[in-house]
Amino acid sequence: MQALLAFLIVAYERSMSKAAERLGVTQSAISQAVRLLEDDIGMPLLNRSVRPLTLTLAGVALFERGRVLVEEAINLRGAVIEASGGIKPSLRVGMVDSFAATCGTAVVQKLLLDTAQLSVRSGLSPALGEALIHREVDMTISTRPSALDNVVNHPLLSEKFLVIAPLDSKPACRSVADIAMLARTLPIVRFSQRGHTAEQIEVALRRLKMNLPNRLDVETADMLTAMVAGGAGWAVTTPLCLLQGVRSASLVRRDHVAELHAGRELYLQTRKGEYESLTRDIFEAIRGVLKHQVVGELKAIDPLLPGLVHVHAWTEAR
């Protein structure tokens, strides 16, 4: 199984050195593992004469069948823990930054009750998705749904986009025409283009034929809100992102433009067949934090904000 896992990572990375780096072993150990498989099967699995490495027909066949076998073997641990009932699992969770900063502490306190050991990381949705696929985390809270067959998306929260601007800026934004007028006087402050929320905002603006020059983008939601509060520009954001920048939230004007017809969703994502009953428990714990803590905090910033979010009930996987 170790040799097969080494081969699968080589096939995915198209490089023995990268596979060795991911597994934390030497390149010679990876090469030896692949050679063992080739000797056992009786034919080459890799075309070593080209760079990056490619698979032979035998290698393609082993890759397709072998990854199913390895997936089942890796899932065995989770299945045994599920069946055992009384044993608390170790769990690795990835959270998108805006969720981690606003809900992370309350959710972690609940997760500690059901886990023997807990590891939490935060970041942008694309990176979290890669971490879930590569088994670096067991579940994620992400804004980007996965289309992979072995990943399950459970919708947690829908939130609509809103426009924020310096308090003294004009006009108040009630329509796309108002946004266009605002854009003529102030630059837009964007989220980093590496993030999924930034992609969604750009799609919404382009649909309205607003192709705005890129003069300033920032990494985090609290930095974005602070930049707007300081008069650097205006921005499109979400209620949860505004809550992340709560220190500056009262220093910006908050407008909802219905014509945007856009927003984002948060999902609890897991690999299919793993931690199924625990996943539902975690979903309900997160839902409780969103309904009873986050909605109240949004209302304290602006009574407008709770109406822009919808907390989902549990639904079967999709």
Side-chain angles (χ1 to χ4, degrees):
M1 292 300 296
Q2 289 297 327
L4 181 56
L5 177 61
F7 164 74
L8 291 176
I9 295 177
V10 169
Y12 181 82
E13 296 286 356
R14 298 292 193 263
S15 165
M16 289 197 184
S17 60
K18 289 182 179 179
E21 185 178 341
R22 279 188 54 183
L23 288 174
V25 298
T26 64
Q27 185 172 336
S28 62
I30 295 292
S31 179
Q32 183 179 5
V34 175
R35 288 289 186 191
L36 284 173
L37 282 176
E38 290 179 321
D39 292 344
D40 188 52
I41 293 171
M43 58 186 69
L45 301 171
L46 300 172
N47 293 315
R48 292 174 171 81
S49 60
V50 296
R51 290 291 183 273
L53 296 173
T54 60
L55 301 180
T56 64
L57 290 177
V60 171
L62 182 61
F63 181 77
E64 294 298 327
R65 291 163 175 78
R67 62 181 179 178
V68 175
L69 181 60
V70 169
E71 188 78 18
E72 288 295 324
I74 294 173
N75 288 350
L76 182 63
R77 176 176 175 273
V80 170
I81 290 172
E82 285 286 324
S84 69
I87 300 177
K88 292 184 176 181
S90 298
L91 196 66
R92 300 165 300 169
V93 181
M95 300 179 180
V96 70
D97 287 330
S98 56
F99 182 91
T102 55
C103 311
T105 301
V107 170
V108 163
Q109 288 173 338
K110 293 180 180 295
L111 294 182
L112 285 172
L113 300 175
D114 296 315
T115 56
Q117 183 177 2
L118 182 63
S119 174
V120 181
R121 63 189 283 184
S122 64
L124 300 175
S125 290
L128 295 178
E130 288 292 317
L132 185 64
I133 294 167
H134 294 153
R135 309 197 71 87
E136 296 166 6
V137 296
D138 301 308
M139 59 183 62
T140 66
I141 295 97
S142 173
T143 62
R144 172 176 282 176
S146 175
L148 297 177
D149 290 338
N150 67 330
V151 175
V152 182
N153 302 292
H154 296 283
L156 280 167
L157 177 77
S158 298
E159 53 179 354
K160 298 176 181 177
F161 289 140
L162 70 151
V163 175
I164 59 173
L167 287 175
D168 59 356
S169 62
K170 295 182 190 291
C173 291
R174 298 291 182 265
S175 66
V176 173
D178 292 335
I179 299 177
M181 188 177 298
L182 180 65
R184 286 195 287 269
T185 60
L186 287 172
I188 184 172
V189 184
R190 287 179 163 93
F191 286 109
S192 165
Q193 297 302 300
R194 296 184 295 112
H196 186 231
T197 299
E199 295 174 8
Q200 292 175 292
I201 291 171
E202 287 306 302
V203 168
L205 292 174
R206 286 173 185 164
R207 188 173 60 245
L208 298 173
K209 304 191 184 314
M210 298 187 67
N211 298 310
L212 304 173
N214 188 9
R215 296 187 58 197
L216 174 61
D217 64 70
V218 298
E219 286 285 340
T220 63
D222 52 339
M223 189 184 301
L224 180 134
T225 307
M227 290 291 178
V228 174
W234 64 279
V236 178
T237 188
T238 76
L240 203 62
C241 289
L242 190 63
L243 183 59
Q244 185 180 350
V246 66
R247 291 181 61 183
S248 304
S250 63
L251 304 177
V252 299
R253 198 186 64 232
R254 302 163 294 274
D255 299 319
H256 175 236
V257 180
E259 289 177 78
L260 278 175
H261 294 301
R264 70 171 188 173
E265 290 201 13
L266 263 67
Y267 301 87
L268 175 63
Q269 297 174 324
T270 60
R271 291 182 292 271
K272 188 175 292 184
E274 296 185 33
Y275 302 109
E276 290 180 341
S277 62
L278 181 60
T279 297
R280 179 154 189 174
D281 292 342
I282 292 173
F283 180 96
E284 295 297 345
I286 295 172
R287 185 169 187 263
V289 171
L290 291 171
K291 284 180 68 69
H292 303 302
Q293 174 183 316
V294 170
V295 171
E297 291 174 346
L298 290 174
K299 186 176 181 180
I301 296 173
D302 190 329
L304 162 77
L305 298 178
L308 302 182
V309 302
H310 173 70
V311 180
H312 293 279
W314 172 268
T315 58
E316 292 305 315
R318 65 180 174 92

